[in-house]
Amino acid sequence: MSKPRILVTRRWPAAIERILSDRFDTTLNVDDVAMSGEALSEALAEYDAVLPTVSDRLPAAVFDGARPRARILGNFGVGYNHIDTNAAKDRGIVVTNTPGVLTDCTADIAMLLLLTVARRGGEGERQVRSGEWAGWCPTHMIGTKVTGKTVGIIGFGRIGKAFAQRCRFGFGMDVVFYNRSPVDPAEAARYGARQLQTVEDVLALSDFVSVHCPGGAENRHLMNTARLAAMKPGAFLINTARGDVVDETALIAALEEGVIRGAGLDVYAAEPHVADALKAMNNVVLLPHLGSATEETRTAMGMKVLDNVTAFFEGRPPPDRVA
Ligand code: DGY
């Protein structure tokens, strides 16, 4: 029997590419250039499986047209709001993701952003590198103390919990959170956290607010002008979730008007575009979507996709099916 034809839309860790190439009739994107919608559409017609990632856009239009050959989209990433899963489902295409393996590294990046924006790490580094540092003095580059402050978490899934754990047990912070569904208080207590009723309740108490909910229609602009205004004066916003969870225009206005004190961002509304207004502000720390960017995690993500696709073609249920 011939091997399933598989397309990998971007470069992956070499070890995973090797296994994919052994196991399947695999086409790799050796130039690592993001594919257009048209190219993705063609791929759906030509391959049995397409393995996309967050830099690919798969709205309903990409699925339009002839009946696709593809039967599974093995997404490399836990977030899949770049895929119209209803359109995939309508055409009988299974979608899988990679949960669990990027929890710690994403929580670490949220902590990195929180510490960097509070203690002015980005600014300090730029000053040293530019040769502008004039030496220690008692009033130089004063930041905000982190230990003992209150952090508010929006979305208490795996990553929200891992972040809570770091804040509570690493930095002695008071941790409150909002989650759509109730979390057993005993479970919340394991992470040193307590659930509040509304997003506004969390915003009213928090010196740092960190969003950890999925992107997509249900959470689009969850942090909007009103909610940014409901944050404590002098508070900071951290986003490692998805760019569309925060209204970027409202965020820029809130930062410019001093409604909030600063922000740490790893994700943006229209990646890889980052608004010039954000780049111009010293009280904003900007990372290029690094949440899962460690050798260990990217390899584990690739292994998850491999497990999902292998299970699918062996006739077993893929372990991480989302649609
Ligand atoms: C994900 O998995 O959704 C990340 O954002 C990509 O690192």
Side-chain angles (χ1 to χ4, degrees):
M1 210 174 72
S2 62
K3 292 179 177 180
R5 292 196 73 208
I6 292 211
L7 175 75
V8 187
T9 66
R10 300 300 298 264
R11 285 321 298 254
W12 284 16
I16 309 294
E17 288 189 343
R18 267 196 301 277
I19 305 176
L20 277 169
S21 300
D22 287 346
R23 207 171 281 181
F24 303 105
D25 175 5
T26 302
T27 302
L28 302 173
N29 181 349
V30 284
D31 298 327
D32 203 18
V33 175
M35 294 172 63
S36 65
E38 205 180 326
L40 286 166
S41 247
E42 282 166 19
L44 291 175
E46 287 169 21
Y47 291 88
D48 299 302
V50 175
L51 312 187
T53 191
V54 63
S55 60
D56 299 309
R57 295 275 154 266
L58 290 121
V62 164
F63 296 86
D64 284 347
R67 194 169 172 71
R69 169 174 175 158
R71 290 162 56 216
I72 179 168
L73 292 174
N75 186 54
F76 183 94
V78 68
Y80 51 89
N81 62 315
H82 53 285
I83 302 172
D84 188 322
T85 49
N86 289 326
K89 216 163 150 184
D90 284 350
R91 281 148 188 88
I93 303 175
V94 166
V95 182
T96 61
N97 73 342
T98 63
V101 293
L102 38 70
T103 306
D104 285 327
C105 288
T106 306
D108 289 348
I109 282 284
M111 204 68 230
L112 175 73
L113 285 170
L114 188 154
L115 290 169
T116 308
V117 73
R119 299 302 308 275
R120 303 175 65 174
E123 253 179 287
E125 221 241 2
R126 287 191 289 279
Q127 191 176 69
V128 171
R129 283 183 188 272
S130 66
E132 281 164 18
W133 181 37
W136 193 93
C137 75
T139 55
H140 178 235
M141 218 171 261
I142 303 302
T144 300
K145 184 173 176 177
V146 169
T147 300
K149 292 284 173 65
T150 298
V151 63
I153 297 175
I154 312 289
F156 207 61
R158 290 185 201 84
I159 299 172
K161 286 175 183 164
F163 182 64
Q165 194 171 42
R166 283 151 177 75
C167 292
R168 177 72 198 136
F169 302 110
F171 294 87
M173 299 176 89
D174 193 19
V175 183
V176 292
F177 68 90
Y178 169 79
N179 194 61
R180 234 177 1 179
S181 48
V183 176
D184 178 354
E187 164 79 352
R190 283 182 51 209
Y191 301 93
R194 84 201 137 90
Q195 185 164 19
L196 302 182
Q197 287 293 312
T198 65
V199 172
E200 282 70 20
D201 292 341
V202 168
L203 303 179
L205 288 183
S206 304
D207 302 297
F208 299 90
V209 172
S210 190
V211 289
H212 295 281
C213 50
E218 61 181 324
N219 292 322
R220 187 178 147 75
H221 292 183
L222 180 139
M223 289 304 294
N224 54 21
T225 303
R227 288 212 166 117
L228 289 161
M231 287 172 65
K232 277 169 76 172
F236 296 86
L237 179 72
I238 310 299
N239 187 9
T240 54
R242 279 294 181 264
D244 62 357
V245 176
V246 176
D247 177 346
E248 222 165 76
T249 308
L251 174 65
I252 290 166
L255 289 162
E256 282 174 351
E257 291 159 19
V259 173
I260 66 170
R261 185 158 180 175
L265 307 174
D266 189 41
V267 288
Y268 307 88
E271 294 178 17
H273 170 77
V274 178
D276 287 338
L278 289 173
K279 291 188 214 158
M281 286 187 251
N282 258 330
N283 53 340
V284 179
V285 177
L286 303 168
L287 294 180
H289 203 145
L290 292 182
S292 63
T294 62
E295 203 176 315
E296 295 86 342
T297 289
R298 290 284 162 85
T299 302
M301 289 164 74
M303 287 305 291
K304 279 230 144 209
V305 183
L306 202 60
D307 288 349
N308 282 309
V309 174
T310 303
F312 180 83
F313 286 112
E314 287 179 354
R316 293 179 285 114
D320 306 304
R321 182 171 179 168
V322 292

